[in-house]
Amino acid sequence: MITFIDTVVPVAAQSAQPDLALPVGTTLDRFILSEQSAFPFATGELSQLLRDIALASKIINREINRAGLIDVTGAAGTDNVQGESQQKLDVIANIRFIRALKNGGEVCAIISEEEDDIILTGNLNGKYVVAIDPLDGSSNIDVNVSIGTIFSIYRRLSPIGSVPTLADLLQGGRQQVAAGYVLYGSSTILVFTTGQGVNGFTLDQSLGEYILSHTNMKQPRTGSIFSCNEGNVAEYPDKIQTYLNTCRQRRMTGRYIGSLVADFHRNLIKGGIYLYPPTCKSPGGKLRLLYECFPMAFIAEQAGGKATDGRQAILDIAPTDLHQRLVLYVGSPDLIDELLTTK
């Protein structure tokens, strides 16, 4: 005679049991395809371009994760167009992204922080141009601190089939069709906008796929974080020093990583303001307009934030040079407004 005994599993034990069929979530590819319908002129090229950038970022993520094991940390022994010492991973990231964009076939020209002139891809039928900072915050590489990639995408102005021109890359921030960044940190996250809001995708290392993790990201209207290099505070304009004193009096938290992507991302999530004021050494500002300020300003505005040089919105500034430098204040709108009204 067989006796069947019903076993009652406690609720706590039930909740501890793994779900064997958890959904993976929305992959980047699936999201891009679903959003493509928002662009009546799109025939798939922009979607493919975003995939090319995502692929290159996965390769860079791999290189960063094993940097200490394959001797790619430290200086490369060369300087970029701005006269800044290039790190080995700067050079690697530049090569990887340029190669991915060339091979993808959708881009006719590229401007990179690491190259003096326009990079012609040879894809004369490509409909897009890209401005990119392949590895932002590279001085943090050797100490294992978060770094990133920043990119901006435009539809070309020159006729399809012709050689791209300087005008293709000096269109202005309002003409961006997409912009984004990749943060290589405790996890790797790709955040981008196509003018229809901001979404973030976290890289699932086990699948090798970006999965939608941050939907319709919004910048809090205010926040308790201010981010700037306070080591230079004595060189900042009086107005900025007054504003920073106000932040300290309110017991706001000072957080500065020294990587624009990392500082921007934290403030986008938590609310805060990022400041890169003019100094005696860089009276016109230091950040690059085309591949740092424009894309971050586009993302900020799409998330409900603001970006300014202290006089006008970043996206309203007319570019004049491929490597033009600028002052940047970006973050929660109430904090930006307060900065602008500080005497």
Side-chain angles (χ1 to χ4, degrees):
M1 180 177 178
I2 301 175
T3 302
F4 293 93
I5 301 175
D6 291 328
T7 303
V8 178
V9 180
V11 173
Q14 292 178 30
S15 61
Q17 293 178 354
D19 189 330
L20 300 181
L22 284 172
V24 170
T26 302
T27 64
L28 176 63
D29 279 357
R30 187 176 300 169
F31 179 87
I32 290 173
L33 288 174
S34 67
E35 292 294 301
Q36 188 172 305
S37 60
F39 298 89
F41 56 80
T43 55
E45 291 93 344
L46 179 59
S47 300
Q48 182 58 50
L49 173 50
L50 289 169
R51 292 192 196 97
D52 294 337
I53 290 173
L55 173 61
S57 75
K58 293 176 187 177
I59 297 173
I60 299 306
N61 177 72
R62 181 194 65 189
E63 301 299 295
I64 291 170
N65 285 341
R66 61 178 186 166
L69 302 176
I70 57 174
D71 191 28
V72 292
T73 58
T78 55
D79 293 342
N80 62 19
V81 64
Q82 288 84 19
E84 299 165 340
S85 176
Q86 291 180 308
Q87 303 295 305
K88 292 177 183 178
L89 275 173
D90 280 323
V91 177
I92 292 171
N94 189 52
I95 292 171
R96 292 296 189 186
F97 275 104
I98 290 174
R99 184 178 295 166
L101 294 172
K102 282 184 176 180
N103 292 342
E106 314 303 339
V107 176
C108 63
I110 306 164
I111 175 64
S112 167
E113 181 188 17
E114 306 303 331
E115 303 280 347
D116 293 9
D117 300 315
I118 295 175
I119 303 159
L120 300 178
T121 65
N123 303 319
L124 297 184
N125 292 322
K127 295 181 179 179
Y128 296 94
V129 296
V130 171
I132 190 165
D133 182 350
L135 207 59
D136 167 69
S138 57
S139 61
N140 287 324
I141 292 170
D142 291 353
V143 292
N144 203 25
V145 175
S146 297
I147 52 182
T149 295
I150 310 172
F151 63 89
S152 179
I153 302 172
Y154 297 83
R155 284 180 66 85
R156 68 184 297 179
L157 298 176
S158 54
I160 301 295
S162 67
V163 177
T165 67
L166 182 63
D168 288 317
L169 286 151
L170 296 180
Q171 297 184 48
R174 298 287 179 196
Q175 303 308 311
Q176 294 174 97
V177 297
Y181 61 83
V182 183
L183 176 62
Y184 311 101
S186 55
S187 62
T188 297
I189 182 168
L190 166 63
V191 175
F192 75 92
T193 180
T194 54
Q196 307 290 325
V198 180
N199 292 281
F201 300 78
T202 299
L203 181 61
D204 185 326
Q205 304 279 2
S206 65
L207 297 175
E209 292 279 1
Y210 279 109
I211 307 296
L212 180 62
S213 55
H214 297 69
T215 306
N216 194 25
M217 300 173 74
K218 292 297 181 184
Q219 178 103 46
R221 287 207 59 83
T222 189
S224 60
I225 298 171
F226 66 97
S227 307
C228 71
N229 184 353
E230 293 196 77
N232 293 331
V233 70
E235 297 186 28
Y236 293 161
D238 292 344
K239 173 178 178 175
I240 302 302
Q241 294 191 40
T242 298
Y243 179 77
L244 292 175
N245 283 332
T246 300
C247 292
R248 297 187 197 98
Q249 290 166 6
R250 292 179 182 168
R251 299 294 189 269
M252 291 176 65
T253 302
R255 290 286 182 267
Y256 185 68
I257 297 170
S259 166
L260 173 58
V261 171
D263 285 310
F264 179 93
H265 184 73
R266 181 198 50 242
N267 292 350
L268 175 62
I269 300 291
K270 296 188 173 183
I273 182 171
Y274 176 90
L275 308 95
Y276 211 117
T279 62
C280 298
K281 184 178 179 180
S282 302
K286 190 175 180 181
L287 296 180
R288 273 61 59 134
L289 177 60
L290 291 184
Y291 39 83
E292 290 179 324
C293 299
F294 271 165
M296 290 311 205
F298 189 23
I299 295 167
E301 288 199 4
Q302 283 293 311
K306 290 186 176 182
T308 177
D309 68 347
R311 297 183 295 252
Q312 61 181 320
I314 293 293
L315 295 182
D316 291 333
I317 295 172
T320 58
D321 182 78
L322 292 178
H323 300 286
Q324 184 174 343
R325 291 178 182 264
L326 200 70
V327 169
L328 176 65
Y329 309 110
V330 61
S332 297
D334 290 353
L335 296 179
I336 295 292
D337 288 344
E338 184 177 10
L339 172 68
L340 293 176
T341 56
T342 297
K343 302 297 184 181

